[in-house]
Amino acid sequence: MAADDGKKKISESTIQRLSLYYRVLSILEKENIKTISSKELAKHEKLTPAQVRKDLSFFGSFGTRGLGYPVTELKNRIATILGLDREWKVAMVGVGNIGSALVGYKEFQRHGFSINMIFDNDQRKIGSNHKGILVSDIANLKEGLRENNIDIVIIAVPATVAQYIVDDIVEAGVSGILNFAPINLKVPENVILRNENMSMELEHISFSLVNRESITATKE
Amino acid sequence: MAADDGKKKISESTIQRLSLYYRVLSILEKENIKTISSKELAKHEKLTPAQVRKDLSFFGSFGTRGLGYPVTELKNRIATILGLDREWKVAMVGVGNIGSALVGYKEFQRHGFSINMIFDNDQRKIGSNHKGILVSDIANLKEGLRENNIDIVIIAVPATVAQYIVDDIVEAGVSGILNFAPINLKVPENVILRNENMSMELEHISFSLVNRESITATKE
DNA sequence: CGGACTATGTGAATTCATTCACAAGTTACT
DNA sequence: AGTAACTTGTGAATGAATTCACATAGTCCG
Ligand SMILES: NC(=O)c1ccc[n+]([C@@H]2O[C@H](COP(=O)([O-])OP(=O)(O)OC[C@H]3O[C@@H](n4cnc5c(N)ncnc54)[C@H](O)[C@@H]3O)[C@@H](O)[C@H]2O)c1
Ligand SMILES: NC(=O)c1ccc[n+]([C@@H]2O[C@H](COP(=O)([O-])OP(=O)(O)OC[C@H]3O[C@@H](n4cnc5c(N)ncnc54)[C@H](O)[C@@H]3O)[C@@H](O)[C@H]2O)c1
């Protein structure tokens, strides 16, 4: 009854898809749609109905045969699974181009991620306000993270200093890190580290274009 | 000799890993390291040596037994595979928080992605300069893309308008799109569309944190 | 120059993820 | 109540990606 705290291992891709389902369900809820079938849900994200059902089945059975899934309930259920039913305290390190874009990003707030600390080493920025948040000196990183019980840190500093920053973050006891610097960071295995690598996506596109061309080339 | 234009299908993840290899090799090259083994290369990105060799083997054999891979040559070889040996013309649509952060991102330039057009619909922005690029009126999107032979468009507008923009982009004949709006866009299947979804990564972290807790709980 | 050592490249084995296919539950309509 | 139409939930089958394991080929040093 209480979340099927099963031991089965959930695949990376299932987790990613749960995020997608959550996004779609939020929209459907706003449109006042009450139920949705796996078929419809799949169509929204270009997946197969079987995949949707399989993904959900890892966590229990939320649907009604013959009818589909109750939108709001399923959305809330996924929120619980993903941990979006609580507030996560997030700190941003480095408030340059990308850091400041992210600080004000509404979507994070909406999903329960509340950025309420910012660190930088630039004297001109320290003490100033970014979207209502005071920029702290990077020298106070460890105490700051500890005192404010920060759960997750976003790294938006140059790649050259990212590892030093991460070491401090880990020492401060934070165990969730989202890294935007294009470098592979080393963390103890009890720390969750994810990387956001935008070049990678662009390179995926160029790869696909080049490969597609060899097909189109014969055509034009 | 000329690229083993083989017919075998390359997996998504292999392509992603090629980006990682490229990144590591660039660094090694700068450090003046001449050769590297699959074992070392794997260590840099927390992969297995077998995986590295398998990935590379899809495209030919670049290594020397007993020695490893020649850094510069392999880097260039991967650049060719990924299409980084040419200049890609990129346009940005929407120059708000995230759009303007990306416009100046050096890493893109370095990998051959040159953002040289910007479109927006905000009268205050149109005509102004962003990092040396003139902001064009979104009304001129289609002609602009065509006239400048844009290869790839980055979408950084609100989710609500993203689909309309994409339709125009597709009509203009662009076939590579990188989308930052949190919505699933529909494109014809000859168009390469990739999505950058930052909430997804954060949600992956929160999922992992929640799940890790239930393990650590029994353990400590 | 020869032998010990190192590391690649790749089929085969294995592990992991997706899709199939259908029994079983629910609705909706007559 | 009976039945036709849906749709879930899930083992079994298929398909894909990773890892294993080793023959093969080169290095490097004395
Ligand atoms: N700009 C982008 O669009 C973009 C996109 C993806 C990834 N990234 C990556 O994100 C990181 C930041 O990029 P950016 O463009 O915002 O750079 P930026 O130079 O605009 O910002 C970096 C910020 O980090 C601060 N900083 C530098 N060293 C620091 C230290 N030791 N401690 C604390 N703060 C420090 C700087 O003062 C600055 O505010 C880089 O690693 C970059 O590769 C940037
Ligand atoms: N801010 C972030 O950190 C962040 C992160 C990830 C994804 N995103 C997504 O990127 C998109 C942009 O986010 P943002 O924070 O930069 O928003 P923003 O409001 O700062 O910028 C949006 C820009 O798009 C322009 N715009 C609006 N409608 C347009 C139209 N019809 N044609 C052309 N231009 C138009 C606006 O004038 C503005 O300059 C959103 O979809 C958002 O969800 C933002």
Side-chain angles (χ1 to χ4, degrees), chain B residues 69-80:
Chain B
Y69 300 89
V71 170
T72 299
E73 194 186 312
L74 182 59
K75 178 191 150 232
N76 292 336
R77 205 60 198 64
I78 293 178
T80 306

Side-chain angles (χ1 to χ4, degrees), chain B residues 143-198:
Chain B
E143 312 90 88
L145 296 178
R146 280 210 195 91
E147 281 163 19
N148 291 275
N149 285 303
I150 296 295
D151 301 300
I152 300 172
V153 174
I154 302 179
I155 297 190
V157 294
T160 44
V161 302
Q163 184 66 59
Y164 306 120
I165 302 276
V166 165
D167 293 344
D168 278 357
I169 292 168
V170 169
E171 274 185 49
V174 173
S175 44
I177 300 175
L178 178 56
N179 170 45
F180 281 83
I183 190 167
N184 190 276
L185 298 170
K186 308 283 185 260
V187 294
E189 58 174 310
N190 63 320
V191 172
I192 313 296
L193 169 72
R194 308 272 317 169
N195 296 291
E196 194 75 67
N197 186 334
M198 299 177 193

Side-chain angles (χ1 to χ4, degrees), chain A residues 15-16 19 23 45 82 107 111 175 184 190 194 196-199 201 203-204 206-207 212-213, chain B residues 15-16 19 23 45 82 86 107 111 175 184 190 194 196-197 199 201 203-204 206-207 212:
Chain A
I15 301 168
Q16 309 256 118
S19 285
R23 199 174 73 180
E45 297 292 346
L82 292 176
E107 195 84 351
H111 292 211
S175 46
N184 190 276
N190 63 320
R194 307 274 316 169
E196 194 75 66
N197 185 336
M198 298 176 192
S199 298
E201 291 302 326
E203 284 163 24
H204 205 309
S206 64
F207 172 87
R212 212 184 46 111
E213 263 160 31
Chain B
I15 301 167
Q16 309 256 119
S19 286
R23 198 173 73 181
E45 295 293 344
L82 291 176
R86 58 180 82 185
E107 194 84 351
H111 292 211
S175 44
N184 190 276
N190 63 320
R194 308 272 317 169
E196 194 75 67
N197 186 334
S199 298
E201 291 302 326
E203 284 163 25
H204 205 308
S206 64
F207 172 86
R212 209 183 48 110

Side-chain angles (χ1 to χ4, degrees), chain A residues 166-186:
Chain A
V166 166
D167 293 343
D168 278 358
I169 293 168
V170 169
E171 274 185 51
V174 173
S175 46
I177 300 175
L178 178 56
N179 170 45
F180 281 82
I183 189 166
N184 190 276
L185 299 170
K186 307 284 184 260

Side-chain angles (χ1 to χ4, degrees), chain B residues 116-166:
Chain B
N116 44 36
M117 290 200 89
I118 299 178
F119 295 91
D120 206 295
N121 75 338
D122 185 335
Q123 290 304 325
R124 287 162 303 177
K125 290 175 180 172
I126 296 169
S128 74
N129 246 35
H130 262 267
K131 321 247 174 178
I133 303 158
L134 187 76
V135 178
S136 309
D137 190 330
I138 188 73
N140 305 322
L141 181 61
K142 274 198 265 185
E143 312 90 88
L145 296 178
R146 280 210 195 91
E147 281 163 19
N148 291 275
N149 285 303
I150 296 295
D151 301 300
I152 300 172
V153 174
I154 302 179
I155 297 190
V157 294
T160 44
V161 302
Q163 184 66 59
Y164 306 120
I165 302 276
V166 165

Side-chain angles (χ1 to χ4, degrees), chain A residues 15-77:
Chain A
I15 301 168
Q16 309 256 118
R17 283 192 297 269
L18 287 181
S19 285
L20 297 180
Y21 302 150
Y22 183 80
R23 199 174 73 180
V24 172
L25 291 166
S26 301
I27 294 169
L28 294 173
E29 189 184 35
K30 239 178 258 161
E31 290 172 353
N32 215 28
I33 291 164
K34 299 301 182 198
T35 59
I36 186 161
S37 65
S38 58
K39 200 169 147 198
E40 285 291 308
L41 193 41
K43 202 151 51 176
H44 276 274
E45 297 292 346
K46 269 237 252 23
L47 302 167
T48 67
Q51 178 119 78
V52 172
R53 295 202 298 276
K54 181 67 93 182
D55 282 341
L56 297 177
S57 77
F58 291 131
F59 302 96
S61 53
F62 319 122
T64 308
R65 295 178 183 210
L67 190 57
Y69 300 89
V71 171
T72 299
E73 195 187 311
L74 182 58
K75 179 191 148 228
N76 292 336
R77 205 58 197 64

